[in-house]
DNA sequence: CCATCAGGCTTACGTCGTAAGGCTAATCTT
DNA sequence: AAGATTAGCCTTACGACGTAAGCCTGATGG
């Protein structure tokens, strides 16, 4: 009695793709590896996704669906609290799929899931009394932060960089005095924060609240 | 009299790489193509860059050097105006190299050029009276915006998407009422802005000023 | 004057996405 | 019921990519 052959389907393909990226990183997501995980040959995947780009599009849709489920319907009172909650909820999903932000940024066509998410954001702004014009600018001001992530261009708390950073501190201090002083002071203030010398979640929320309160001021001024 | 054979050098390699990315996009930048443009075989490049990742690191250093030259020394009075100028100057460089932001985001190691740039940003904050702690949070709040770019997750003014967007307006209105209404109103207000229905430069500056003025408020409060 | 070696070149490998087309079993048509 | 269609798998093969290994040549330096 052999295991019943579950037929392939778009949903199974996308699900397996997400699983690979979660477990082994986005670089491990190749057509051959994906096929292998599904007990199938690579070319069989093309009956369910047009090509690799379409696969990545689909994977993003899976993530966006996860977000949509998590955030639910937009709340229509206290826009600032509603936005904050929506964004931080979406962020949880991106923290579960660390590769997803980068993939999302490489999509060339507009994803329905992302559009739907932003429509919900707009609903909150409008219910909070924003003009379309201000809401529009608010969307741009938030950028990817509206979805719960922001690009970190360099991560001083990256453990991989620690050793080399340690050795670099001397010349760092010479060439980059302000940065060196800041790192020294902040590291001293917070010697063993749970998330390293700088807590990304706290920093993210700081930036988010800074923008939200700025927007509230503009809204109130009319 | 044959054309004098200019010997290869790291600088020539990186320069040619930037030229290819500028002209034909970052996807066209392959080792073979780069070698071809330099009148050389692909493997010869490896005498001047360790591998392709190192090539991309180097290319970013070229861009950051361009920025360093453009922004000059940090100005130490009127921090807000100084930051604004520094960021918008850096932005000009990224607008000349549209591929550079994406490449920068994929660097795994911290680039000295980027560090130097941020050190200048910190100098401005400090001269403006920021504590290290607030300056640190300010850096995170700005994120890549400090360098002059922000991730646009979908670009409604993308000409490539225009046709499909046009056809999509009907169902857009059904499923995404707020977004549809916003697009309709804003497009109507500004029927032929030079840069399409939404001017990225204006949106960028809006977001930047929103953050900068929020930071100024926090700084003034102490 | 000869040894070293920097800086080119040639060849070749393994991995990737995917084009072309074959086989089989389920489904649909008449 | 029987024949035609097709969905959904597989096999084979191609061209592009990054790059390992090693050859060749002309300048340099003891």
């Amino acid at each position: 009695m052999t295991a019943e052959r579950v037929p392939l389907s778009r949903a199974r393909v996308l699900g397996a793709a997400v699983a690979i990226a979660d477990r082994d990183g986005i670089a491990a997501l190749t057509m051959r590896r994906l096929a292998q995980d599904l007990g199938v040959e690579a070319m069989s995947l093309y009956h369910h996704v047009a090509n690799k780009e379409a696969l990545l599009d689909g994977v993003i849709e899976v993530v966006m669906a996860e977000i949509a489920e998590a955030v639910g319907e937009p709340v229509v009172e206290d826009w600032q609290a509603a936005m904050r909650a929506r964004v931080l909820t979406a962020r949880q999903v991106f923290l579960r799929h660390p590769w997803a932000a980068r993939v999302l940024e490489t999509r060339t066509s507009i994803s329905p899931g992302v559009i739907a998410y932003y429509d919900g954001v707009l609903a909150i702004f409008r219910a909070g009394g924003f003009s379309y014009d201000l809401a529009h600018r608010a969307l741009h001001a938030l950028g990817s932060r509206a979805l719960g992530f922001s690009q970190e261009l360099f991560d001083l708390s990256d453990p991989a960089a620690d050793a080399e950073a340690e050795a670099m501190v001397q010349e760092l201090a010479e060439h980059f005095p302000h940065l060196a002083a800041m790192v020294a002071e902040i590291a001293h203030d917070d010697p063993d924060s749970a998330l390293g010398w700088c807590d990304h979640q706290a920093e993210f929320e700081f930036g988010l609240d800074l923008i939200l309160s700025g927007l509230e001021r503009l809204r109130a001024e009319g």
Side-chain angles (χ1 to χ4, degrees), chain A:
Chain A
M1 212 176 278
T2 64
E4 196 156 327
R5 283 269 276 184
V6 184
L8 228 46
S9 70
R10 180 177 165 83
R12 278 192 70 216
V13 168
L14 298 183
V18 169
I20 289 175
D22 282 345
R23 194 163 349 102
D24 299 331
I26 193 65
L29 178 56
T30 69
M31 299 303 272
R32 289 171 219 263
R33 164 70 193 280
L34 177 55
Q36 190 185 330
D37 277 26
L38 288 163
V40 126
E41 295 302 315
M43 290 309 293
S44 302
L45 299 172
Y46 288 84
H47 288 280
H48 300 95
V49 294
N51 50 44
K52 181 149 189 196
E53 282 301 295
L55 172 69
L56 293 177
D57 287 349
V59 153
I60 286 302
E61 285 305 302
V62 170
V63 172
M64 291 310 302
E66 217 175 298
I67 289 179
E69 192 189 4
V71 297
E73 290 296 309
V75 179
V76 296
E77 53 188 80
D78 191 353
W79 77 266
Q80 204 167 334
M83 264 304 294
R84 196 172 200 284
R86 187 180 185 80
V87 169
L88 293 181
T89 300
R91 177 175 176 81
Q92 293 307 310
V93 176
F94 278 103
L95 290 178
R96 285 205 295 273
H97 306 296
W99 45 269
R102 206 177 291 291
V103 173
L104 177 56
E105 287 167 0
T106 65
R107 299 306 82 208
T108 55
S109 59
I110 36 193
S111 143
V114 174
I115 292 201
Y117 180 86
Y118 272 99
D119 196 63
V121 169
L122 265 180
I124 294 174
F125 281 142
R126 288 292 290 171
F130 282 58
S131 69
Y132 278 121
D133 181 53
L134 184 56
H136 172 225
R137 282 177 289 161
L139 282 189
H140 279 277
L142 283 166
S144 71
R145 218 182 290 260
L147 270 157
F149 64 92
S150 66
Q151 195 62 45
E152 300 288 341
L153 289 184
F154 59 104
D155 183 352
L156 292 176
S157 68
D158 180 5
D162 257 15
E164 103 186 76
E166 203 76 29
M168 196 192 256
V169 161
Q170 293 295 344
E171 60 179 329
L172 189 85
E174 270 178 63
H175 297 294
F176 312 117
H178 302 93
L179 212 49
M182 185 186 79
V183 170
E185 181 170 314
I186 293 185
H188 181 261
D189 281 3
D190 188 7
D192 50 4
S193 123
L195 292 163
W197 79 273
C198 98
D199 176 343
H200 291 180
Q201 179 70 24
E203 305 302 342
F204 180 85
E205 293 188 24
F206 172 82
L208 177 62
D209 288 334
L210 187 70
I211 295 174
L212 293 184
S213 59
L215 292 171
E216 166 61 15
R217 207 168 346 257
L218 292 178
R219 187 202 60 78
E221 287 170 4

